[in-house]
Amino acid sequence: MKIILTHDHMDFDALASLVAASKLYPAAKMLLPKLQSEQVKKYLAIYRDSFAFSSFKQVDWEETDHLILTDVASVKRTEGASKWKDSMEVTVYDHHPLAESDKEDHFTYHIHHTGAAVTILIEEIIKRNIPVAPYEATLFALGLYTDTGSFTYPHTTIRDLKAALFLMEKGMQLDIVRQFSEESFTVDQQEAFQSYLNKADKLVEHGVTMIVSSLEASRFVNNVNSITARVLETTGADAVITVTNMQNKVFVIGRSATDRINLLPLMKRFHGGGHPKAASASIKHGNIKEITGTVKELLPGMITVSVCAEDLMSAPVKTITEEASIDKAKQQMLYYGHNGFPVVDENGKLTGIISRRDIDKAAQHGYGHSPVKAYMSTDPVTISKATSFERIQQLMIQHNIGRLPVLFEDELIGIVSRTNVIEHMHSQTIKRDKNNIKADMQSLLSRPVFDLLTKVGELADQLHFKSYIIGGIVRDLLLGIPNEDIDIVIEGDAIKFAETFADKYGGTVKRHETFQTASVETTDQSKLDFTTSRTEFYKRPAALPTVTNSNIREDLYRRDFTMNAIAASLQPATFGDLIDYFNGAADIEKKQLRVLHNLSFVEDPTRILRGIRFEKRFSFKMDKETESFLRESISSISALTKSRISTELRYLFAATDPAGSIARMDHLNVLDAFLPGAVWNERTAATLNALLIHEDMKDWDRSGNDFWFITVLTLYTIDLDRLRYSETVAETKHQRKFAHELTTLLEHYPSDIFTSPGALHEIAAKTEDDVLVFAECMLKTGDETEQKHSATIRTYRIKRTEISKWITGDDLKSAGLTPGPSFKTYMFQIEQAVLNGDVTNREEALDYVHTLLD
């Protein structure tokens, strides 16, 4: 016999999970616990007969061999605890976190971090294509909506939303969901609520306010968890714990409004469970005074260390001097994308703050030439390195300001902006499956390299710097691709760091003062590149950027795509933690290529070619917005230099299938912008493919200087005018010579010259072999006549390498010729005869000489 159980004090998620499990196990009996929330009781008063519930008395426990637990992971938290035997098979469907140490060896667990337990069961119903009636869908929705707070609770996941969509398709009735999910307290519940407020004992630790309240109830009070949540909402505390003695049991219910308080360890002390912000426990025959005392004693230990200004701030700080003009301040804001600047005097001491609004007003009234000090806000609100996150929020709200300078011994060392605050709040609510890649680093990097990165982080910590791996290495680690081309960004002086690292661990340093970078080659020949974190701005489209020192966030923001704008910390305490301000990890998971900002392609149009390279290399696809930004920026391509375009094309064709990349360029309408006059059609595509598979070309070094150009050259083979124009695309003397030889050769086409190898020798004797291969491939893709001429070129190219010197100058003298220019003519004619097969040995060659003289 199979039995489906859920926890005591059944709420809608427990009830919905119970019924959903019965869809998966139709032969199992559903048992309702005696203790139910008030709203569940009201629901069952109407809908009880719609479901085949059984009572505990109807179960033959001796015949029961399989328990299915829903919304709970322990049999001890169900009414079946006393009936359970170790011999029973147990299957668990739950969404509450469960430590490995708490798992039973013979249990089968289906535990997932979803907002509601019923979501896990709905997914299984969908997978098995099990029919769901509208009344069942409505009950499942009640469990889903109530346990996720109508999808507003932080633990809500996209899986819950997808489950809701499925239920909507199956006919769930939202009016019924609203009717039963809206709670109104009974008289007993209102009295309990008021009692909790009256007996509230406030504890304040580390800037966190907690309330502990106890109640000796003369009769059972239902739905204490909702009452506790209402106390939290009413008092504005960071956490509330209620301890209630009812019917020989003490119930401990906790609700937290902050990530700084994790209630799970507290409830596990009483063998309870739940979520970090919503947990509970029940103790049979417990002593309420002792339990309340224990709660007060343990609660401060549940508080995590507060994030402070030093963790949030951006540094170094971009400032502007008091004497700088409003116009200069406006220009600086435009360059760096800031909405304000701290203002400093000639000694670098903070004297004020000027915002974009201040600057815009001054400029509007014609005071662009005036100094900043005339319009700045004086006596700015400042904070220290230790100012807590909560205090920072309070100050921003209290003073309605968007940035707080951080001072240490009167020196400006950083600034916390609204953006920093929002990013921290966002990072606390968005939970990724992978936010630390230390394990990936250990498995995909060699041991020596991993050890070096560990040493980098340790040294940075000692020097009070911050160190990160960044860009392509992090992307490849997330993709599971080995890559030891490692870029390390230092928040601080990268050259000084590199020198210190080499001194401590051995190695040589190459410094690049202009770019604030340095390379260290260690004693075991490992190489590490160190760069000072920086930002950049573009004075005009397609220009090279102006670069200045900055912080990790701005360093990431200057990059091309979100997938490359991810860093990982090397600091010992956070080693491997991802720094992912722009959700690049999520884009990698979705195989989506997304640009960082809407002017990215305008500022640097070579990012278009890079984007195509990443698409093809990693099988990614630009999102619609990125592709739209790309198409809007095509006009900026004309400002690029020839060398910047050729460099990107070389990278593109070396890393991808050239034909696929060119087809993508054509689809995006950028082919002609990068390569004026180039054409991609069936003929040029066929020519390129023939060239790429030709035995004399397929082993070419694709990263070489000429491969990209010969690839591009195929796009100009439509007509002679375009072919002549291709010489202007060439970057080197050799490339121009190649294009010129090809054009010269094809200027004679079509003609009788191409009907025999000997005739072809007239114009191709000094033509480079690769040029002949190109012409061979080009004609091979044409009609029958062109294919014959292609075969002629191939025969000529092979035979001319086999021309034997059967005739020498002495032979010509012996034949009666006087040395002179005619010697060269006769020798050439003999070569033609050999190429045409008229001469196959020395004797025939001598006879042929006499024929020429007759």
Side-chain angles (χ1 to χ4, degrees):
M1 180 182 292
K2 294 182 176 64
I3 300 296
I4 308 174
L5 297 174
T6 190
H7 56 77
D8 288 340
H9 305 285
M10 182 173 65
D11 56 14
F12 272 119
D13 190 28
L15 176 61
S17 301
L18 196 72
V19 174
S22 74
K23 304 285 288 183
L24 305 179
Y25 302 90
K29 292 182 180 295
M30 292 185 287
L31 302 188
L32 286 178
K34 295 175 184 176
L35 300 179
Q36 303 162 2
S37 75
E38 200 64 35
Q39 295 302 101
V40 168
K41 284 182 179 179
K42 291 178 181 178
Y43 175 86
L44 290 176
I46 300 173
Y47 290 97
R48 186 186 185 105
D49 292 341
S50 299
F51 306 100
F53 297 122
S54 298
S55 70
F56 279 78
K57 293 179 180 179
Q58 295 174 306
V59 175
D60 185 345
W61 290 96
E62 293 299 324
E63 294 296 320
T64 301
D65 56 5
H66 188 181
L67 296 181
I68 297 101
L69 303 182
T70 64
D71 200 28
V72 66
S74 173
V75 182
K76 296 176 183 178
R77 295 188 63 201
T78 73
E79 285 187 38
S82 61
K83 307 292 186 180
W84 172 54
K85 297 177 181 178
D86 286 340
S87 59
M88 293 180 182
E89 179 185 354
V90 180
T91 303
V92 175
Y93 293 91
D94 194 17
H95 68 133
H96 299 100
L98 185 66
E100 288 296 323
S101 58
D102 293 334
K103 290 184 178 180
E104 302 284 349
D105 292 339
H106 58 289
F107 282 27
T108 300
Y109 291 98
H110 301 278
I111 296 179
H112 302 274
H113 298 302
T114 54
V118 72
T119 296
I120 302 165
L121 292 146
I122 290 171
E123 290 175 338
E124 193 62 31
I125 288 170
I126 295 171
K127 190 185 300 182
R128 300 188 193 181
N129 198 26
I130 298 172
V132 174
Y135 72 93
E136 293 172 324
T138 303
L139 172 58
F140 298 163
L142 273 166
L144 190 55
Y145 276 71
T146 55
D147 240 41
T148 62
S150 296
F151 310 110
T152 63
Y153 292 163
H155 59 262
T156 304
T157 69
I158 192 169
R159 295 168 64 179
D160 301 302
L161 295 169
K162 288 180 177 179
L165 177 61
F166 169 77
L167 298 178
M168 180 70 79
E169 291 172 344
K170 295 302 178 183
M172 73 173 181
Q173 295 176 274
L174 287 173
D175 55 338
I176 295 177
V177 173
R178 185 179 66 251
Q179 174 188 346
F180 286 102
S181 59
E182 291 178 350
E183 292 186 290
S184 57
F185 288 165
T186 64
V187 173
D188 287 346
Q189 290 170 331
Q190 289 174 7
E191 289 177 354
F193 171 69
Q194 194 60 51
S195 178
Y196 290 135
L197 290 177
N198 294 339
K199 296 179 180 180
D201 201 352
K202 183 186 291 186
L203 306 175
V204 179
E205 295 278 350
H206 306 295
V208 174
T209 300
M210 300 162 288
I211 286 176
V212 179
S213 189
S214 60
L215 171 64
E216 288 273 11
S218 58
R219 53 181 176 270
F220 188 83
V221 180
N222 211 343
N223 216 8
V224 176
N225 56 343
S226 295
I227 302 172
T228 305
R230 186 74 62 85
V231 174
L232 178 70
E233 180 184 333
T234 304
T235 60
D238 294 301
V240 169
I241 309 292
T242 59
V243 185
T244 311
N245 189 13
M246 300 184 290
Q247 296 182 347
N248 297 320
K249 270 189 181 181
V250 176
F251 298 91
V252 184
I253 310 291
R255 293 293 183 267
S256 171
T258 174
D259 291 301
R260 290 190 60 196
I261 300 178
N262 183 354
L263 297 172
L264 267 180
L266 175 66
M267 296 306 170
K268 285 183 178 179
R269 172 67 174 75
F270 302 108
H271 307 289
H275 298 284
K277 291 185 177 181
S280 63
S282 62
I283 306 99
K284 281 187 177 181
H285 307 294
N287 185 307
I288 188 170
K289 288 185 179 180
E290 290 180 1
I291 292 171
T292 303
T294 302
V295 168
K296 290 179 181 179
E297 180 184 344
L298 296 177
L299 194 53
M302 306 300 111
I303 302 172
T304 58
V305 177
S306 174
V307 171
C308 61
E310 188 174 17
D311 302 313
L312 297 173
M313 71 183 189
S314 298
V317 187
K318 291 183 178 60
T319 61
I320 197 161
T321 63
E322 294 177 317
E323 301 302 323
S325 69
I326 290 293
D327 284 342
K328 182 178 180 181
K330 187 173 184 177
Q331 183 185 54
Q332 293 293 94
M333 284 190 180
L334 178 64
Y335 282 163
Y336 295 112
H338 289 193
N339 289 314
F341 284 112
V343 183
V344 296
D345 62 16
E346 58 185 8
N347 298 316
K349 185 176 180 181
L350 180 71
T351 58
I353 293 277
I354 191 158
S355 68
R356 182 181 293 275
R357 182 173 54 187
D358 300 327
I359 290 171
D360 288 344
K361 282 186 177 180
Q364 184 179 356
H365 293 295
Y367 293 107
H369 61 283
S370 299
V372 163
K373 66 180 179 183
Y375 294 93
M376 70 183 186
S377 301
T378 57
D379 194 22
V381 179
T382 63
I383 55 178
S384 72
K385 293 192 296 183
T387 304
S388 70
F389 177 72
E390 291 78 11
R391 179 59 178 159
I392 289 169
Q393 286 181 294
Q394 291 170 1
L395 287 172
M396 285 185 171
I397 295 169
Q398 178 183 343
H399 297 282
N400 191 26
I401 51 179
R403 56 197 62 81
L404 291 167
V406 184
L407 300 184
F408 178 69
E409 296 179 352
D410 288 333
E411 181 185 350
L412 180 63
I413 62 168
I415 192 164
V416 176
S417 67
R418 284 194 186 103
T419 300
N420 300 132
V421 170
I422 291 169
E423 283 171 351
H424 176 69
M425 294 170 66
H426 185 70
S427 68
Q428 298 305 301
T429 55
I430 300 296
K431 304 297 181 185
R432 297 189 182 92
D433 290 337
K434 179 179 284 188
N435 56 16
N436 184 287
I437 58 170
K438 182 177 179 179
D440 301 286
M441 294 167 70
Q442 287 175 312
S443 63
L444 293 171
L445 301 177
S446 66
R447 185 68 198 184
V449 169
F450 181 83
D451 290 343
L452 280 174
L453 294 180
T454 302
K455 291 174 181 177
V456 168
E458 291 170 348
L459 181 60
D461 221 33
Q462 294 168 19
L463 297 176
H464 304 292
F465 288 170
K466 290 183 179 179
S467 58
Y468 311 88
I469 54 171
I470 197 166
I473 176 65
V474 181
R475 174 201 67 214
D476 288 353
L477 287 169
L478 287 170
L479 288 168
I481 301 172
N483 181 353
E484 295 197 355
D485 182 12
I486 299 173
D487 292 323
I488 299 172
V489 168
I490 302 294
E491 276 192 345
D493 188 334
I495 295 178
K496 177 183 176 182
F497 181 88
E499 291 172 339
T500 307
F501 186 87
D503 287 343
K504 183 169 184 177
Y505 297 109
T508 57
V509 181
K510 288 186 179 179
R511 303 160 188 80
H512 307 282
E513 301 284 351
T514 304
F515 303 104
Q516 281 294 291
T517 63
S519 298
V520 173
E521 186 171 324
T522 63
T523 52
D524 64 353
Q525 279 72 58
S526 295
K527 185 181 177 184
L528 297 173
D529 293 321
F530 297 96
T531 305
T532 302
S533 57
R534 53 194 177 171
T535 188
E536 60 190 27
F537 61 85
Y538 295 78
K539 291 184 177 181
R540 62 183 183 277
L544 292 173
T546 299
V547 178
T548 60
N549 292 356
S550 188
N551 53 63
I552 188 64
R553 187 186 192 283
E554 293 190 353
D555 194 287
L556 291 170
Y557 189 61
R558 72 184 179 86
R559 298 180 183 257
D560 44 21
F561 301 96
T562 58
M563 66 184 291
N564 294 325
I566 314 172
S569 172
L570 297 179
Q571 307 303 109
T574 56
F575 192 90
D577 280 1
L578 290 182
I579 293 86
D580 185 13
Y581 298 109
F582 313 108
N583 293 320
D587 286 333
I588 288 174
E589 189 174 344
K590 291 185 285 187
K591 289 189 171 294
Q592 174 176 270
L593 193 66
R594 185 165 58 87
V595 79
L596 263 69
H597 58 91
N598 56 0
L599 293 178
S600 182
F601 293 124
V602 173
E603 291 178 343
D604 185 358
T606 63
R607 288 171 176 163
I608 296 172
L609 295 177
R610 252 174 279 162
I612 294 171
R613 170 156 50 102
F614 293 139
E615 278 192 328
K616 297 300 178 183
R617 181 182 171 192
F618 299 114
S619 300
F620 278 36
K621 186 73 169 66
M622 293 183 198
D623 72 333
K624 290 182 180 179
E625 188 174 53
T626 294
E627 192 167 313
S628 175
F629 290 150
L630 184 155
R631 293 182 186 277
E632 291 296 324
S633 63
I634 292 175
S635 60
S636 301
I637 296 172
S638 61
L640 289 171
T641 63
K642 186 192 299 183
S643 63
R644 291 188 68 193
I645 292 175
S646 62
T647 296
E648 287 299 332
L649 288 174
R650 183 163 60 249
Y651 291 150
L652 175 62
F653 298 150
T656 68
D657 166 36
S661 295
I662 292 170
R664 181 62 169 149
M665 290 172 69
D666 185 61
H667 174 76
L668 293 170
N669 297 322
V670 298
L671 182 61
D672 189 67
F674 281 109
L675 299 167
V679 174
W680 182 252
N681 58 19
E682 288 186 13
R683 182 66 187 269
T684 56
T687 298
L688 176 57
N689 285 322
L691 189 68
L692 292 174
I693 64 173
H694 195 284
E695 63 268 21
D696 290 327
M697 289 291 197
K698 63 183 179 182
D699 293 328
W700 266 34
D701 175 12
R702 293 197 172 196
S703 61
N705 288 330
D706 293 329
F707 179 80
W708 76 269
F709 176 71
I710 293 179
T711 299
V712 165
L713 198 58
T714 62
L715 309 178
Y716 290 90
T717 55
I718 292 300
D719 55 55
L720 277 174
D721 287 338
R722 281 187 172 86
L723 200 53
R724 292 188 186 100
Y725 181 80
S726 68
E727 291 185 44
T728 67
V729 178
E731 189 179 29
T732 67
K733 183 178 179 180
H734 180 263
Q735 290 166 4
R736 284 189 290 273
K737 179 176 179 291
F738 190 103
H740 180 72
E741 284 189 7
L742 182 64
T743 304
T744 302
L745 179 68
L746 294 177
E747 280 176 345
H748 295 84
Y749 188 84
S751 70
D752 291 341
I753 287 174
F754 289 87
T755 58
S756 71
L760 188 58
H761 197 48
E762 288 280 356
I763 60 169
K766 294 184 178 180
T767 300
E768 188 177 325
D769 199 61
D770 288 342
V771 174
L772 294 173
V773 171
F774 191 104
E776 175 192 329
C777 292
M778 175 184 163
L779 295 177
K780 188 177 182 180
T781 62
D783 58 25
E784 186 176 348
T785 300
E786 289 175 311
Q787 290 174 22
K788 288 180 179 178
H789 293 161
S790 171
T792 300
I793 294 175
R794 179 178 178 81
T795 301
Y796 168 70
R797 186 173 55 81
I798 294 171
K799 280 194 170 185
R800 79 171 184 175
T801 63
E802 301 170 354
I803 294 176
S804 299
K805 297 295 183 181
W806 292 317
I807 298 296
T808 66
D810 290 338
D811 291 324
L812 294 180
K813 288 180 186 177
S814 299
L817 284 173
T818 303
S822 60
F823 266 43
K824 185 176 181 180
T825 301
Y826 288 128
M827 291 295 288
F828 190 81
Q829 288 176 322
I830 293 169
E831 287 178 1
Q832 287 180 302
V834 172
L835 288 168
N836 285 333
D838 298 330
V839 172
T840 60
N841 54 49
R842 174 173 170 76
E843 186 176 318
E844 290 178 359
L846 290 171
D847 289 342
Y848 190 74
V849 170
H850 291 292
T851 302
L852 293 176
L853 295 176
D854 290 341

